[in-house]
Every structure is written in C-alpha cells, then in structure tokens.
Amino acid sequence: MNLPIDGSLADKGFLARKLSVGVSRVLGMAILDERPVWSMSSSEKLSALDATHAEIARLQIRCLHLTASLDTDGYAQELGARDTVQLLSIRYRLDPDDVRRDLRLARALHKYPAVTAALGTGHPANPADAAQLNVGQAGAIVSALEKVPSSAGASVEDLRVAEESMVQAAHLLPPADLRKLGKEMRERLDTDGPEPRNEDDTSSREALWIKPADRGITFGGYLADENAELFQTLIFAGAKPHKTPDGERDPRPRSKRQADALTAILTTAAGTGSAVPGHGEIKPHITVTIDLQDLKTATNTHDGGLGRGDLVHGDTLSAAAVRRLACDAGIIPLVLGSHSEPLDVGAEHRFVTRAIRQALNTRDKGCIACGAPPAMSEAHHITHWADGGPTSLDNLALLCKRDHINVHQGRLTITLTNGHPTVTRPTWSDPDPPPLRQTA
C-alpha cells in the first residue's frame, strides 16, 4: 500500500485506522493457527487451542462492552424489540436467560474497577493488555458481591478488598470455586448473618404475600411440612421438561417451567368450579371490561394501543392484551357500547372448542414459531374474532405464550399458506451478513 506523504489529518487518521484493522487481521490469523488439524502435532494443537481460548475470551469481553452500550442507547426499542434481551436472544438464537445474565454483568461492571481492569477492553492494543479474567469468572465475582446485603453495613474499603482478593484468587480458581469463595466473603462481610429460625409451631408461620408489579404481581411466602411437600410435588411434576415435536430439548429454563406449572395448577383449579370456597359451582374466571371500539381498533404495536380493559382487582390490560387473551378460553370479556351499556358477555364456548383444539394440536404439533409442545401453546385467531374472524381451524394457529404476545405486538406475522400457518420474523431478527474477507 502506497501512503501519501502529505494530506489532511482526516486522511491520515483514516489510513491509520485501515492499517490498524489490516494488521489486527494479519496478527489474528497468525495467532490462531488455522492449519488443518490433521497436519499438527499434539503440542501444536494445544498451543493453537491456547490461542483460540484467549481469542474467545477477548471476543466475549468485547461483546459485554458492546451489549452494555447498546442497552444504554435503547436501540432495541427503536428497532421494535421489547428490550435488549429480546433483540439479542432472537437475533442470535440465544437463550434469554443467558443474555439476561451477561447483560446484568455488563451493567454492573462499572461498580467493580478491579474486575473491569482484569477483564480488559476486549480489544487490546498489545498482549500486555490481554484479559486476566474470563467472563465466567467475572460473572461469579460480581454476582457474589452484588448479593452482599445493605444491612451488612460493609464499608467501601471492605468491599474493595473483597473484590481484589477474589480477582487475585481467579488466577487459580474456576467460576464454581469462585462462587463458593464469594459465599465465604459474604459471610465475613455480614457478620450478623440471617436471623435465627424459630422452630416452634411452624404452621403458624405460614404466609403468602402478594404485591402489585409492572404488568403483573410479585409474590412469595412460606409453607410448612405437608403443605410444603404438596406444593413441591405438584410444581415438580408440572415442571418436567417436554421435548419439542422435532425431539429437541425443552427451550424453557427451569424457572419458566415452574412458573408454567403453577399457572397450569391455577387454571385447573379454576376450571373445577369447586376449588374456591364460596363460589359454589361457578367457575372463577378472569373478567375484563372493555369498550367495543377499543377492542376493535387495538393495534399490533409495541405499546398495545391506547385502549384499556379494566380488571376486577383494579389493574388494567391494554386492548391488545385483551385481544390476545380472548383468543382462547379462560377470560370473559364484558364488552361495552358507546354509552357504556353491556353489549355482550362472552362465554367460553364461543371460543376454541375441545374438538377444534385437538385438530389444532394434530395439525400444528405445538407452537408454530418455536416448536414448543401443544401443552405449552395457546390458540391464536389469525383474524381476530372482534374483527369478524371465525373460530375455525383455517383461522387458528398454536403459539406459546411468549410468541403469542410477540404476534399481538407485531413482532411476528402469521399467514396461511395452503391451509398451514407460517411465521414471518421481523427484519431485526437476523444479523447482518459478515463482511467478505479481503484477499491480498
């Protein structure tokens, strides 16, 4: 390459960047021995593996920094994704829990200078700046320190010493051992420890708390003895992983499987009509009061439209959410006219019947978007019944709850082709093709 002797600073800066990229590529190919494996000796294979692991660590760190900055920009929402986790998990076909874990680490790094320095920039200018920690080790350290309770009263200096000690220990310890060390660190920092348990009359300490949260609730509590055993038996039985129709592993993490199990238990109890004392044989169902015009004009947008439906317990749902829920059984919409007079109270038999559901299960074999089994899927009206869409097999498709939400929010589109539903993904769901490698 011939470089001009004279030129503007911008030209020189551009050429310097081009040179830097070219040199980095050449060095990268030299470091990562890309000869055929069969032609290498055992010592050469191990050396090449050393260099490959170092390069993987560098790229993982680079991904952390890019992910944190992208999340700060809020670019996922600009593209139409719910958040950065959804954008990256769909775009790169990753488990959302893995993306969420890495994003949690990326967001917290600024509080831990020793960990950040040991991780490096992910784009070192020379070997001396290479990472001393891998992402797994950094995650174990940060997670351990994040769990130190504020009630411990640990000083900034104590936390700094704990962080530096764990970074030093990471020269020898893998992530699992660092997590054990982190637990010991927390016990030292929180000298009082948890409050002692009172073993007397455990049943009297049973409690359940429910708090409103954004678009839902948070809850927790304590069950004793046989009640605890009953709860665990039902949850564990319902949370068993199910293979997809293609024989692949259940895509749900354990926490999601357990949440689905609890939802299934509640749905079954509500359907019996006798699970709740005082209801007689009336089955308790969700009732939503909504204006007919809001229901008809609910948009498939990120915000779910302007209309709202009122729930019995004081919360609200967007009109788009009501449209999604009304696709299948389990919700009774109380539709109001222009003068707030009740026009119609939907009964469950107006929706998907048992025969139609069995036909759906046979045809779609589960969620048509991700392959989740029928037990995890809901019936979706391709043309909503509020817009005149019939409850018939040629206007229905099976979707898991996550993809059902994505369809109603416009992130996925369903069309019928020769009587079979097909899914179209959003433009941001596929990564840009890699640039062609330049040859000399």
Side-chain angles (χ1 to χ4, degrees):
M1 180 185 294
N2 295 322
L3 300 180
I5 296 177
D6 297 319
S8 67
L9 289 176
D11 291 338
K12 292 179 180 178
F14 172 76
L15 291 173
R17 288 193 297 273
K18 294 290 286 183
L19 273 175
S20 175
V21 171
V23 170
S24 296
R25 286 179 178 172
V26 172
L27 288 177
M29 293 180 65
I31 292 173
L32 298 179
D33 195 338
E34 295 185 359
R35 289 179 296 160
V37 174
W38 60 264
S39 69
M40 303 169 69
S41 67
S42 295
S43 63
E44 289 173 331
K45 293 173 188 174
L46 185 58
S47 296
L49 198 57
D50 290 341
T52 302
H53 273 282
E55 182 66 7
I56 290 172
R58 183 188 72 80
L59 292 174
Q60 286 178 325
I61 296 162
R62 179 72 170 160
C63 281
L64 277 183
H65 292 296
L66 288 170
T67 299
S69 184
L70 190 70
D71 184 65
T72 302
D73 294 342
Y75 189 52
Q77 289 85 347
E78 291 182 29
L79 292 177
R82 181 180 65 248
D83 52 25
T84 303
V85 172
Q86 187 188 50
L87 170 64
L88 300 186
S89 61
I90 291 180
R91 188 177 179 91
Y92 303 121
R93 281 58 164 180
L94 300 173
D95 287 336
D97 279 358
D98 293 338
V99 178
R100 195 173 290 108
R101 178 200 61 214
D102 290 343
L103 182 57
R104 198 160 45 235
L105 171 61
R107 287 169 173 167
L109 276 178
H110 71 278
K111 296 187 289 184
Y112 301 98
V115 174
T116 303
L119 270 178
T121 63
H123 202 175
N126 58 71
D129 295 330
Q132 304 168 35
L133 288 179
N134 60 46
V135 169
Q137 290 175 307
I141 295 173
V142 170
S143 176
L145 295 175
E146 286 284 282
K147 292 177 182 177
V148 176
S150 57
S151 59
S155 67
V156 174
E157 179 64 19
D158 288 341
L159 291 172
R160 183 186 63 80
V161 171
E163 178 190 356
E164 293 176 351
S165 297
M166 292 189 71
V167 169
Q168 185 64 30
H171 289 291
L172 298 174
L173 300 181
D177 289 337
L178 285 172
R179 284 189 284 271
K180 295 177 183 177
L181 178 60
K183 184 178 179 181
E184 295 176 7
M185 289 286 188
R186 288 199 303 274
E187 291 174 351
R188 294 178 188 175
L189 292 170
D190 187 9
T191 55
D192 291 337
E195 295 182 2
R197 294 181 178 179
N198 180 9
E199 300 295 339
D200 296 332
D201 194 10
T202 56
S203 63
S204 66
R205 295 191 291 113
E206 289 188 326
L208 173 67
W209 55 262
I210 301 173
K211 295 181 180 179
D214 183 27
R215 299 181 63 182
I217 61 169
T218 58
F219 61 92
Y222 171 74
L223 293 177
D225 302 328
E226 68 273 14
N227 291 335
E229 184 66 19
L230 175 61
F231 183 82
Q232 292 181 90
T233 298
L234 293 176
I235 293 295
F236 291 165
K240 291 180 179 178
H242 300 280
K243 289 187 176 181
T244 67
D246 297 331
E248 299 295 327
R249 295 178 59 185
D250 195 323
R252 300 172 298 167
R254 184 175 64 178
S255 59
K256 183 61 170 70
R257 296 200 312 270
Q258 293 183 164
D260 289 343
L262 179 58
T263 302
I265 293 168
L266 296 175
T267 302
T268 301
T272 64
S274 58
V276 182
H279 273 260
E281 293 301 316
I282 301 175
K283 300 177 182 180
H285 287 102
I286 301 171
T287 301
V288 180
T289 304
I290 187 168
D291 182 81
L292 176 62
Q293 193 60 30
D294 288 341
L295 188 63
K296 285 181 173 292
T297 59
T299 57
N300 294 334
T301 59
H302 177 70
D303 60 6
L306 298 178
R308 307 294 297 181
D310 295 324
L311 297 172
V312 172
H313 291 283
D315 209 340
T316 63
L317 289 176
S318 69
V322 176
R323 288 170 65 95
R324 173 178 61 82
L325 290 171
C327 282
D328 210 341
I331 182 170
I332 300 176
L334 175 57
V335 183
L336 302 180
S338 57
H339 299 291
S340 297
E341 76 279 12
L343 295 180
D344 180 53
V345 178
E348 283 191 298
H349 66 267
R350 289 183 56 228
F351 303 110
V352 178
T353 65
R354 180 175 298 180
I356 292 177
R357 178 62 193 234
Q358 289 174 341
L360 269 178
N361 291 351
T362 301
R363 186 194 69 185
D364 294 348
K365 299 180 175 60
C367 177
I368 62 172
C370 70
M376 295 167 49
S377 303
E378 304 170 346
H380 164 70
H381 284 72
I382 298 173
T383 300
H384 201 274
W385 60 264
D387 300 325
T391 303
S392 59
L393 191 61
D394 58 1
N395 189 46
L396 294 169
L398 284 185
L399 293 167
C400 70
K401 186 169 185 177
R402 179 185 62 186
D403 289 321
H404 201 173
I405 293 172
N406 286 336
V407 168
H408 277 269
Q409 292 186 342
R411 300 187 184 109
L412 298 175
T413 302
I414 296 181
T415 55
L416 277 175
T417 305
N418 298 324
H420 286 82
T422 56
V423 178
T424 302
R425 297 163 64 84
T427 55
W428 50 260
S429 66
D430 292 314
D432 299 327
L436 296 175
R437 180 177 291 181
Q438 297 181 352
T439 56

